[in-house]
Amino acid sequence: MWAAFLSLIVVLLYATAVFFAVRAAQTARTPQGAVGWVVFLMTLPWASVPLYMFLGHHRFRGYRIARRESERVVAGLKAHADAIAPDPLSLSVNARPFEQIAHMAISRGNGARLLTDGDATFQAIFAAIDAAQSYVLVQFYIVRDDELGLELQDRLIAAARRGVRVRFMTDAIGSHGLPESYFRDLRDAGIDVADPRDQRGPNFRFQINYRNHRKTVVVDGKTGFIGGHNVGNEYLGQDPVFGNWRDTHVEISGPSVLQLQLIFCEDWHWAHGEELLDELSWQSVLDPQDRNALIVATGPGDGSETGSMMFFSAIAAAQQRFWIASPYFVPDLDILAALKNAAMRGVDVRLLVPDVVDHRIPWLAAFSYFDEIRAAGVMVMRYTDGFLHQKVFVVDSSITAVGTTNLDNRSFRLNFEAMALFFDEAMAEETAQMLERDFRHSYELTEPLSAQPGYIRYGAPLARLFAPIL
């Protein structure tokens, strides 16, 4: 009897593995991902079947349903953008691919200020919250219950007590350690909270591989913030392991704030089930800096490969330089080919990555790509003054991007991300100068993988195997 029962379990396990393998072949976003899952499922079903149930989903249908509720606002913003469209002569690059990816139009009349460390970023965010008159929208991937997290909480509670409507949202995975008391204190002050702990049931459990990686603050529909900083003492450079934390945020004003606000509304609707559109201001004031800008939101709710396509479009547009800073470098084949092609065309391609280890597997996997891109002429720079976490790129003197998207498969296909793009020469030069300062705290990687220590030499190819299925 016991043997018959075990045999039945084995048959069911293999049948499930076959079913999941067929599903992976049909739905995986890349051929490499499909092959990776199929091989894994058919060779180790006892391990792969449970993992596939939690990590193998490749589409996010529920978010697309939530997004349809905002179509009327999208139409309004597009009409508004048409009325304040930039002079075509002010764009030195074809911006249509970025507008197609964003489903939004570039607008003029935007202001932007780079915030190049945690102190500058949170001083600006806290000042904006303290000055709020109507509402504050806050979303971070990670919020910690430490000094910085408690200061954010205090500022939000003080705003709520002044009569400002405050909404707070974070990610279930990123903020898994945030205690319930943190949310309770916000609620007790009258703050609306999208608590990831409230998202239960099979729909939540089997979608934990999707993470909302966005870091957004919007105040009164007039001021916005987006970038790489989360809320924790380490982002102020106070972690004894990482030391200095090199990150970048950008403060924006003008019509692009409304695009950032719309992205928050879509996320809020999905996480909290509430539609905010009619409760917020959708009127913008042109900033005298008059920069052309666009917010590009990407994620698994999109029907196409928007994350990868955004980088591909930027690399393809480069004629003189493409400089990019990212804490992780695990690209797909298209981005790998685009980087090599740009370097072979004579473009000055520089990749800035951290020398310090954050997450071991992607850090190791990056080494398996370095020889290939260096052979094509890409310069690999490794940052040594603490941990580099910024997500920034600059194209020629025409495009600057600051936001949350890493140069890896997770950001391309599994995370909800957002980048602020500026089609402005002055902004591009300011960003390039910032990156040049970072280059001075870096060294160029010249040694091949074969000359690296053994744990890198043998670990990098193994870590790369995980790239297609993560």
Side-chain angles (χ1 to χ4, degrees), residues 111-187:
R113 178 166 69 106
L114 287 176
L115 303 168
T116 57
D117 60 38
D119 288 332
T121 295
F122 287 103
Q123 285 176 15
I125 290 175
F126 291 159
I129 292 173
D130 292 346
Q133 298 180 353
S134 180
Y135 60 86
V136 176
L137 312 176
V138 176
Q139 175 184 27
F140 285 98
Y141 175 61
I142 296 173
V143 177
R144 302 203 190 282
D145 189 34
D146 57 15
E147 288 85 352
L148 184 61
L150 293 174
E151 184 173 1
L152 173 64
Q153 184 187 63
D154 289 343
R155 302 279 181 150
L156 296 178
I157 289 174
R161 288 174 176 167
R162 298 196 313 270
V164 174
R165 188 71 181 268
V166 179
R167 291 178 171 88
F168 175 88
M169 175 168 46
T170 188
D171 182 80
I173 302 299
S175 297
H176 68 277
L178 196 60
E180 178 60 35
S181 59
Y182 192 98
F183 297 102
R184 185 174 61 248
D185 290 345
L186 292 175
R187 288 196 186 94

Side-chain angles (χ1 to χ4, degrees), residues 237-301:
Q238 298 178 8
D239 188 288
V241 175
F242 294 111
N244 179 48
W245 191 280
R246 177 67 189 92
D247 221 328
T248 301
H249 242 66
V250 63
E251 179 180 357
I252 59 176
S253 55
S256 59
V257 176
L258 301 185
Q259 295 180 350
L260 189 63
Q261 179 170 273
L262 178 63
I263 296 164
F264 180 95
C265 289
E266 292 173 345
D267 289 347
W268 182 267
H269 188 186
W270 167 249
H272 198 57
E274 178 189 14
E275 185 177 326
L276 303 180
L277 303 177
D278 294 331
E279 301 182 28
L280 306 178
S281 171
W282 298 99
Q283 300 298 317
S284 65
V285 177
L286 301 185
D287 191 280
Q289 281 188 326
D290 199 26
R291 289 174 166 167
N292 302 323
L294 174 69
I295 306 297
V296 179
T298 63

Side-chain angles (χ1 to χ4, degrees), residues 300 401 458:
Y458 297 108

